[in-house]
Each structure stands twice: as C-alpha cells, then as structure tokens.
Amino acid sequence: MAAPKEAPEWRPFGRRFLTDPTRLFQHNAWDNVEWSEEQEASARSKVQENSSQLLPQDKQEEYEVNAKRYWDDFYKIHENGFFKDRHWLFTEFPELAPNRNPSQNGDSVHEFSNKEESNNEGLGSCENGHCSLETRAENQLNLIKSTPKICAEELATQKYSELNQSDGDYPGSSASYRILEVGCGAGNTVFPILQTNNDPGLFIYCCDFSTTAVDLVQNNAEYDSSRCFAFVHDLCNDQSPFPMPDESLDVVILIFVLSAILPEKMQSIVNRLSRLLKPGGMILLRDYGRYDLAQLRFKKGQCLSDNFYVRGDGTRVYFFTQDELEDLFTTAGLEKIQNLVDRRLQVNRGKQMTMYRVWIQCKYRKPAAPQL
C-alpha cells in the first residue's frame, strides 16, 4: 500500500500549524499547541498540589552539597544511549552552523525533524524526571573508558592561571569564532557542531560539573583537541576558572543546564557568562518551561522551593517563565533577540498517551561596543 500523502503545512511567522490532525498520530508530535484555559488551570492545580510539601532544609542542603556526586552517578548509569544527538541545533540556532547569517538571529522556524523525533527512543518518556528528547544526550559513537582524573578541578585551576599569565596564550586563542557550551554532558551538542561546521576559524570550549561527563567527551573518537577543549567547571563557584579571558567568546550555549542550578545562584552565573562574551556575542538557551510534563509528574515531597524539584536520582530541576529569563539576562546587561515558548503535544501510540511538553528558547546579545 502506498504511503499516504502528507497534508500541506502553513508556517506563518516561523510557527507550524498542521492542517491535517491525523498527522499528529502519524508523526507523534504536534508543534506550537495552544493551551485552553482549562488545561492551564489543571496544570497549575497539579503544581500547587505537588509543591504543597517541601523537603526539610537539611535534606535540601544535602542535595546542594552532593550535587556533583549525583551528576557523576547519572553519567555513569546513562553512559550508553539514553539520549540522542541534537540535530535540531542548526535549525533553531543558525549561529552554530557554517555560513552564519546574522539576519537569522531572531524568530526561528521551530521546525524539528519528525523523522528525528520518531527515531528517538522512548518518545516523551521520562526516567527519574529526565526526559529523553531534551536533556543532555549521549553520543552514539564508541566511547573509550579512561582512568579517572584526580583533583581535576584543582589541576585545571593551576593550569588556567598559568595560561592566562602568558600574553594571549590560551586554548583557542588563534580562533576567529569561539563557542562555549556550559553543561556539555557527554557531548551531544559539541559533536554535531564539530561534525557539521568546518569553519577553520571555529573553536569550541565545553565544560560540565561532572568529571565523568567530561571524561566521556575527551575520550570520544570524535574529540579533536585542535578544535575543542573540554574541562571540568563548577558554575556555582566564582573562583572556578575559565580557560579563556573575558570578552573572547562569540556564543555561549545553555541547553537544559541553567535549570539544574539553585535559583538564587542563577543571576551571578549569568552575569559571569555575559562577561565572557565579546560585544555582539550571544547566549543561546533552551530549557524547561513552566507546567512542562516533567514538572507535572513530580510527587509530593520532591519539591525544594517554588518550581524547583529534586528527581529520584538526586539531580535537580527548575521550570522557568519567559519573564524570569528576561530578568536574568537583562540584569546581566544583555539585550533580547528571542524569548519564546515552545509548547508541543507528543503522542505515545503504544501506551495511547498524550503528553504536553513546554520549553523556552532564548537568544540574548551583548550590546556592541559604541563606535568612537
């Protein structure tokens, strides 16, 4: 039997509307779904219920103190194939692709490949609150185990201090376009960029709180030290060094990482990252939005504070509004290029379940230096 023809699509102002609702079940996803008042009220009610009982303060402090261990354990457990590479990066963030076009820095087309989605295992499924379509992914290439690094961050501190003492001598110092991904996980943002963008002037830095994650990146067959530098970094520690000087980066990438940080520390982190940007440089963010499926699935006793939760594996997650992110970035002196909500309906045909995902995508730019 011949495959059914697809209905035409209408894409005004960068949004996709499907003219044939049967395609929802063919492709498992429906983009930019508008919520009814009843839906939003129901979501709000679930959040009020699951946040009515907060964890005791001593338990909250324990999760903060042991945050690194929980993320190390996460990457040890999920080393093989729990997530997928982010091949949607270049549609949503053309700044990362070769032949960059500044005119594309505003609204994106919100066009995730249906084929890619259908190939992701466990569409819309969550394990311990980690949802397979949007969190850090494990690159599917062969990973080689390495000997654990001892005191990695202390060694890095000394190493970066020595580098910065030299005049302009730091990893990537000769590059013409520098990207930093914060919270790189096992490299499933970094490697698609390296594979796709052959710009000879490109250099990518990537860091993670987890030593295990950084080991996975450094020992991946695709890791190229002439184009990439992976390092352990604690965003919450103001004394934890970066290997590059201030005002040296063109792009900072934050994909599902800011949400893992204690809310009261977010502003100082964004401030510090903004200082690394060149005038005209940008921060690109994609993260959890308020009332996402993952938030609604939490049970009583997993809430740390308003919209901030701990998963069963000890890692934590916050669910943002657009206004909260606007405040964080503009307070850091950045100007808005994009701040939008991506609401999506996903259907698990096997379980006959519908699932509503809510993500926020932002682009904020450091103002260009005034011309004298």
Side-chain angles (χ1 to χ4, degrees):
M1 180 181 294
K5 292 183 179 180
E6 292 190 350
E9 295 174 357
W10 179 42
R11 298 183 185 132
F13 307 106
R15 292 178 177 269
R16 175 189 289 179
F17 295 87
L18 302 184
T19 57
D20 179 1
T22 62
R23 294 189 60 209
L24 166 67
F25 298 95
Q26 294 169 7
H27 294 292
N28 298 312
W30 202 351
D31 298 345
N32 301 294
V33 174
E34 297 296 330
W35 282 27
S36 66
E37 291 182 9
E38 291 80 7
Q39 239 178 322
E40 189 152 348
S42 174
R44 190 181 304 112
S45 176
K46 287 182 180 179
V47 168
Q48 289 173 347
E49 180 182 355
N50 70 24
S51 60
S52 62
Q53 178 183 335
L54 300 182
L55 263 70
Q57 190 61 36
D58 60 331
K59 290 293 292 182
Q60 296 199 32
E61 292 172 0
E62 177 186 329
Y63 286 118
E64 174 69 10
V65 170
N66 294 315
K68 186 178 189 303
R69 176 170 64 83
Y70 288 124
W71 279 111
D72 278 337
D73 290 345
F74 173 82
Y75 285 109
K76 288 174 185 175
I77 293 169
H78 297 297
E79 179 180 322
N80 294 313
F82 183 62
F83 301 120
K84 300 290 184 182
D85 287 344
R86 295 164 176 151
H87 299 292
W88 48 264
L89 278 170
F90 308 107
T91 300
E92 295 300 303
F93 299 133
E95 298 82 2
L96 305 177
N99 303 317
R100 298 174 296 273
N101 183 355
S103 68
Q104 294 178 330
N105 287 350
D107 286 345
S108 66
V109 297
H110 265 303
E111 190 174 323
F112 289 71
S113 164
N114 286 320
K115 179 178 179 182
E116 179 193 338
E117 286 184 2
S118 65
N119 287 339
N120 276 278
E121 293 179 330
L123 176 65
S125 63
C126 296
E127 181 173 326
N128 280 328
H130 297 279
C131 295
S132 58
L133 285 181
E134 75 288 4
T135 335
R136 296 172 183 76
E138 305 269 334
N139 193 277
Q140 298 305 299
L141 299 169
N142 292 329
L143 298 175
I144 305 170
K145 289 284 192 175
S146 67
T147 304
K149 295 177 176 58
I150 301 173
C151 302
E153 197 163 344
E154 292 181 13
L155 292 174
T157 302
Q158 180 181 354
K159 179 179 178 182
Y160 303 157
S161 297
E162 291 172 355
L163 286 170
N164 288 332
Q165 287 171 4
S166 303
D167 185 22
D169 184 17
Y170 58 91
S173 57
S174 61
S176 58
Y177 197 77
R178 303 186 192 93
I179 295 172
L180 166 66
E181 188 195 8
V182 180
C184 63
N188 62 303
T189 292
V190 169
F191 292 122
I193 297 174
L194 288 173
Q195 292 159 5
T196 303
N197 193 333
N198 58 5
D199 180 349
L202 173 71
F203 194 88
I204 304 177
Y205 307 90
C206 56
C207 64
D208 202 281
F209 192 29
S210 166
T211 304
T212 303
V214 174
D215 285 347
L216 289 169
V217 173
Q218 291 177 339
N219 290 284
N220 192 297
E222 292 291 307
Y223 184 73
D224 181 354
S225 59
S226 69
R227 304 181 68 213
C228 183
F229 184 75
F231 59 101
V232 177
H233 184 83
D234 181 358
L235 274 179
C236 296
N237 179 2
D238 290 341
Q239 304 306 310
S240 182
F242 286 105
M244 77 294 289
D246 288 351
E247 297 197 347
S248 62
L249 298 177
D250 294 276
V251 175
V252 172
I253 307 171
L254 293 169
I255 299 182
F256 297 97
V257 62
L258 197 59
S259 55
I261 292 165
L262 202 64
E264 49 264 41
K265 295 185 178 181
M266 291 178 183
Q267 186 64 67
S268 64
I269 288 168
V270 173
N271 292 348
R272 192 169 177 226
L273 292 174
S274 71
R275 291 197 294 270
L276 294 174
L277 290 173
K278 298 175 182 177
M282 297 179 68
I283 289 183
L284 309 179
L285 173 141
R286 189 167 176 85
D287 219 320
Y288 293 97
R290 191 70 46 85
Y291 306 144
D292 176 64
L293 165 73
Q295 182 177 19
L296 303 186
R297 282 188 171 180
F298 280 107
K299 307 300 182 185
K300 284 184 181 179
Q302 292 181 272
C303 188
L304 301 166
S305 59
D306 287 348
N307 304 297
F308 190 46
Y309 301 82
V310 62
R311 302 181 178 100
D313 60 7
T315 62
R316 296 167 299 173
V317 59
Y318 186 83
F319 297 88
F320 291 99
T321 65
Q322 290 173 277
D323 288 344
E324 288 172 339
L325 289 166
E326 168 79 2
D327 288 344
L328 285 172
F329 289 121
T330 55
T331 300
L334 305 178
E335 56 187 22
K336 181 175 72 173
I337 303 300
Q338 180 190 78
N339 183 328
L340 51 82
V341 175
D342 180 10
R343 291 185 177 89
R344 177 178 301 195
L345 171 61
Q346 295 173 352
V347 175
N348 185 318
R349 290 180 293 182
K351 296 182 179 179
Q352 297 185 334
M353 291 173 56
T354 57
M355 297 160 286
Y356 289 90
R357 306 313 312 272
V358 183
W359 302 311
I360 296 182
Q361 184 165 297
C362 295
K363 302 180 184 183
Y364 280 80
R365 181 170 57 201
K366 190 170 191 175
Q371 298 192 359
L372 301 177

